[in-house]
């Protein structure tokens, strides 16, 4: 394919994408497939000779769409949203077309300077103080890994990057039991170890399921007495299972008293903070050292883009950054080279889709969507609560709630029926030992009608359980 053909086929691809999105409501959200079905349909020996693009494109349209779970389906209420506003798709096409590698300022000046700009824009849009700067990662997992690795190095005077950890004291990281598994992964891979992640118990009867600040203090004190070295605290704002939000304002005082750095994981819920009325959920966040949120979830920027805000990037650069001879930038030693803030060296031009999105939708447009989602989730919750046999197990936190149908076994059977039916897509979690179904409202094109199909489908299918 040459560039003239690329231009031609790009138009055809764009037409196909338009039709795909227009037809999503007619498809099941999740395909009813067995593992291996798609591989079997695709399986040929490795191509020795070139094939016409028509044939390849036909095979794609014939096999791939039916083999996908449709994250952009308006009735996708599972996991969390991974929105892709059309304008962010357009920006991705342009970034693909330039195909730059933004590892250093000089390898992609516009990408790096736009990155600094959109990080500042988002900081202001979320109501974070101007003392934060930040960078863009691929995922919240990577950002949290960077934050935890930096906690490790701060705790041991940056000796670990040279000496390793064999003679270091045993470090401890603290988090609520509601934090995402990316925190577990971060302690495992940073060499701190899973057994040194202390899951702090929650406050009794707290509708936000926050960690108990007194239990945090007690855990730190007990560890100090036992000869451990506390290294940092990770807070959850909008935990994946039920949307748990730590009381940062209270718990961060404990962390500060013990001189511990803090990281806030708001990967999903962070987008909602463009609405002032939701910011009470993360009151105290301005005191944190590091905050991560994913514009690729609720906000609408095409996957993947994760922003980490940092009070002081110095320690993270010291922990993560390297400047071998071939990456020196003579005469510009003070320039920001974001690869030194992040795990990979190579970096995509991710800022572009957020720049397009924020300009084209405006914060006002993005806020209106999120406010609708929160209101419609409440309506769906009320309708489900009124169905026979259904109980709300956790109340909506933003647009996420959970419910149960009769007992754990019946709930599991109902979920299976729902996802075989295909009109809506929901997923499960465990809450206080029970199997519960999660509902999350947040897809970019979802309407109130789509949301109200949740109680309709549940009523219909539960009669047969
Ligand atoms: C989605 C999510 C993550 C993981 O995000 P990735 O970008 O997929 O790594 C972490 N924490 C929370 C609270 C999340 O919602």
């Amino acid at each position: 394919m040459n560039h003239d053909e690329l231009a031609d086929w790009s138009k055809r691809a764009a037409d196909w994408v338009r039709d795909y999105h227009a037809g999503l409501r007619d498809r099941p959200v999740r395909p009813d497939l067995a593992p291996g079905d798609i591989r079997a349909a695709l399986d040929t020996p490795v191509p020795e000779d070139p094939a016409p693009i028509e044939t390849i494109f036909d095979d794609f349209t014939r096999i791939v769409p039916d083999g996908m779970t449709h994250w952009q389906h308006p009735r996708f209420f599972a996991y969390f949203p991974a929105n892709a506003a059309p304008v962010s798709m357009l920006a991705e096409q342009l970034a693909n077309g330039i195909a730059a590698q933004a590892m250093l300022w000089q390898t992609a000046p516009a990408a790096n300077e736009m990155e600094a700009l959109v990080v500042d824009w988002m900081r202001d849009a979320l109501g974070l103080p101007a003392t934060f700067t930040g960078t863009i990662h691929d995922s919240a997992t990577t950002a949290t890994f960077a934050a935890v690795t930096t906690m490790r190095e701060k705790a041991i005077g940056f000796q670990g990057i040279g000496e390793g950890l064999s003679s270091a004291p045993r470090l401890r990281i603290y988090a609520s039991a509601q934090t995402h598994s990316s925190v577990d992964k971060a302690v495992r891979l940073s060499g701190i170890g899973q057994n040194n992640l202390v899951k702090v118990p929650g406050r009794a009867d707290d509708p936000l399921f926050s960690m108990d600040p007194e239990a945090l203090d007690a855990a730190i004190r007990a560890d100090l007495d036992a000869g451990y070295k506390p290294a940092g605290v990770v807070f959850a704002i909008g935990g994946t299972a039920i949307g748990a939000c730590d009381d940062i304002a209270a718990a961060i005082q404990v962390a500060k008293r013990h001189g511990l750095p803090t990281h806030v994981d708001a990967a999903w819920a962070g987008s909602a903070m463009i609405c002032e009325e939701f910011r009470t959920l993360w009151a105290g966040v301005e005191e944190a050292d590091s905050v991560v949120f994913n514009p690729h979830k609720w906000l609408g920027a095409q996957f993947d883009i994760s922003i980490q805000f940092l009070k002081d990037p110095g320690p993270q650069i010291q922990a993560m950054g390297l400047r071998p001879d071939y990456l020196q930038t003579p005469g510009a030693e003070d320039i920001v080279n974001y690869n030194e803030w992040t795990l990979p060296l190579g970096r995509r031009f991710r800022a572009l889709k957020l720049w397009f999105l924020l300009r084209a939708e405006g914060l006002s447009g993005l806020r209106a969507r999120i406010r609708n989602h929160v209101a419609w989730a409440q309506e769906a919750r009320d309708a489900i609560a009124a169905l026979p046999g259904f109980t709300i197990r956790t109340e909506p936190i933003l647009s996420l709630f959970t419910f149960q149908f009769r007992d754990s076994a019946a709930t599991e059977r109902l979920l299976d029926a729902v996802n075989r039916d295909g009109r809506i897509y929901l997923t499960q979690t465990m809450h206080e030992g029970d199997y519960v179904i999660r509902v999350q409202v947040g897809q970019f094109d979802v309407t109130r009608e789509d949301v109200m199909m949740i109680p309709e489908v549940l009523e219909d299918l539960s009669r047969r359980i």
Side-chain angles (χ1 to χ4, degrees), residues 215-244:
L216 172 65
D217 192 49
I220 295 170
R221 284 173 191 282
D223 281 350
L224 286 168
D225 287 347
Y228 292 107
K229 178 126 183 81
V233 185
V234 181
F235 298 116
I237 295 297
T240 306
I242 55 172

Side-chain angles (χ1 to χ4, degrees), residues 80 138-142 144 180-182 237-240 265-269 294 296-297 303 306:
F80 42 77
D138 56 352
S139 66
T141 300
T142 312
T144 294
H180 187 266
S181 59
S182 54
I237 295 297
T240 306
D265 176 7
W268 162 68
N294 285 350
H296 73 224
K297 282 182 168 165
F303 187 81
S306 181

Side-chain angles (χ1 to χ4, degrees), residues 293-332:
F293 108 99
N294 285 350
H296 73 224
K297 282 182 168 165
W298 207 351
L299 199 69
Q302 161 99 326
F303 187 81
D304 52 2
I305 174 170
S306 181
I307 295 184
Q308 183 191 17
F309 298 104
L310 288 159
K311 241 338 143 34
D312 172 13
Q316 187 158 311
I317 293 169
Q318 199 177 342
M320 310 279 291
L322 275 172
R323 264 189 209 184
D325 295 338
Y326 44 82
L327 295 179
Q328 301 284 343
T329 51

Side-chain angles (χ1 to χ4, degrees), residues 189 338 363:
L189 300 188
Y338 285 118
L363 287 173

Side-chain angles (χ1 to χ4, degrees), residues 38 41 68 169 178 210-211 263 268 272 284 298-299 336 342 347 360 416 425 428 435 437 439 452 456 464:
I38 300 302
M68 295 300 290
Q178 293 289 338
S210 64
M211 75 161 84
H263 171 66
W268 162 68
W298 207 351
L299 199 69
V336 170
T342 61
R347 312 181 78 248
D416 188 54
Y425 183 26
Q428 78 293 331
Y435 187 101
I437 297 177
V439 175
M452 296 318 280
E456 194 182 310
R464 291 177 240 159

Side-chain angles (χ1 to χ4, degrees), residues 222-305:
D223 281 350
L224 286 168
D225 287 347
Y228 292 107
K229 178 126 183 81
V233 185
V234 181
F235 298 116
I237 295 297
T240 306
I242 55 172
C245 292
D246 285 324
D247 179 352
I248 300 179
I252 207 162
Q253 298 313 324
V254 177
K256 283 180 176 283
R257 238 184 359 257
H258 292 282
L260 298 181
T262 51
H263 171 66
V264 176
D265 176 7
W268 162 68
S271 295
M273 304 309 169
I274 61 172
C275 307
E276 218 173 326
E277 68 270 29
F278 300 133
R279 292 186 193 154
T280 49
L281 286 174
W282 75 354
V285 68
E286 63 281 355
E287 305 233 29
D289 295 299
S290 165
V291 181
V292 65
F293 108 99
N294 285 350
H296 73 224
K297 282 182 168 165
W298 207 351
L299 199 69
Q302 161 99 326
F303 187 81
D304 52 2
I305 174 170

